[in-house]
């Protein structure tokens, strides 16, 4: 039996989110001044566009109004997506981050910044960018070796299309 409000809310809302074709990534109830805020984070393999977020937000609002899961007090419902620098904690997160640059904290110590190339059940193959004119290298990381992983924002990355055009020129 669930004991925390977040666990009870997850049990109530997760089937509804899944029925909308999304995954319930995170749920949190916070107090902001006198108000309570229910934050729900959703995602899918193909991403969650604004229409999908709006649809699931309406569905969650109706479901919450039908129950007393949030109690009698007022609260705000915020539904969104994980954000640009999301933490990777589940296998599906790594799959969704394929071709993205990620900062890994390793159990053996140290950090590694690399691009995810492929993901399987045991770990992932990554490309470590070259430094000072050196070529990039590939490396295998087992999930057991990763303490933490977070997607990095890239402001100056050339699109694959631009890279192919330069190679052909």
């Amino acid at each position: 039996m669930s004991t925390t409000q977040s666990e009870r809310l997850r049990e109530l809302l997760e089937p509804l989110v899944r029925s909308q074709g999304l995954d319930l990534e995170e749920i949190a109830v916070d107090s902001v001044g006198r108000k309570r805020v229910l934050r729900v984070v959703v995602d899918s393999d193909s991403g969650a566009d604004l229409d999908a977020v709006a649809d699931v937000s309406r569905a969650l609002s109706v479901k919450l109004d039908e129950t007393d899961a949030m109690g009698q007090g007022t609260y705000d419902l915020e539904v969104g997506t994980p954000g640009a620098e999301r933490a990777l904690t589940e296998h599906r997160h790594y799959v969704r981050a394929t071709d993205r640059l990620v900062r890994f904290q390793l159990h053996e110590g140290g950090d590694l910044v690399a691009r995810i190339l492929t993901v399987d059940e045991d770990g992932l193959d990554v490309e470590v960018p070259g430094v000072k004119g050196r070529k990039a290298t590939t490396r295998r990381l087992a999930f057991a070796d990763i303490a933490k992983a977070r997607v990095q924002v890239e402001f100056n990355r050339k699109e694959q299309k631009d890279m192919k055009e330069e190679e052909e020129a």
Side-chain angles (χ1 to χ4, degrees):
M1 185 80 184
S2 297
T3 56
T4 68
Q5 183 180 24
S6 291
E7 289 171 338
R8 287 189 304 272
L9 286 166
R10 179 173 285 278
E11 287 177 5
L12 175 70
L13 302 179
E14 192 162 27
L16 183 57
V17 171
R18 286 199 183 280
S19 74
Q20 300 280 323
L22 300 170
D23 294 316
L24 179 58
E25 296 293 349
E26 186 179 326
I27 192 163
V29 180
D30 298 314
S31 294
V32 180
R34 295 179 189 236
K35 275 190 168 181
R36 290 178 306 146
V37 178
L38 172 58
R39 289 187 176 90
V40 178
V41 178
V42 297
D43 201 7
S44 76
D45 289 344
S46 60
D49 63 17
L50 288 175
D51 290 334
V53 172
D55 290 344
V56 77
S57 180
R58 282 188 290 274
L60 293 177
S61 181
V62 168
K63 184 70 161 182
L64 290 165
D65 288 347
E66 291 173 352
T67 68
D68 65 346
M70 287 298 293
Q72 297 301 313
T74 62
Y75 66 92
D76 290 332
L77 172 63
E78 294 179 2
V79 180
T81 57
E85 289 190 1
R86 77 169 306 157
L88 306 178
T89 58
E90 303 281 337
H91 183 269
R92 69 177 179 265
H93 298 164
Y94 289 94
V95 172
R96 291 173 184 166
T98 298
D99 199 39
R100 300 285 308 271
L101 196 64
V102 175
R103 177 176 301 278
F104 298 94
Q105 288 181 353
L106 305 176
H107 286 297
E108 67 186 32
D111 286 358
L112 173 67
V113 176
R115 186 170 313 283
I116 296 176
L117 299 174
T118 61
V119 180
D120 60 36
E121 294 305 314
D122 301 316
L124 44 141
D125 294 314
V126 297
E127 180 182 70
V128 181
V131 180
K132 295 183 181 178
R134 293 189 179 137
K135 288 189 174 187
T137 58
T138 58
R139 179 174 173 182
R140 177 77 179 166
L141 291 177
F143 287 120
D145 296 336
I146 301 169
K148 292 182 182 178
R150 183 172 295 279
V151 172
Q152 301 296 288
V153 174
E154 295 181 84
F155 292 107
N156 59 354
R157 181 169 183 218
K158 292 183 178 183
E159 293 297 320
Q160 295 293 342
K161 179 179 153 189
D162 294 339
M163 291 169 62
K164 284 181 184 176
E165 288 175 1
E166 286 181 10
E167 288 173 4
E168 292 171 359

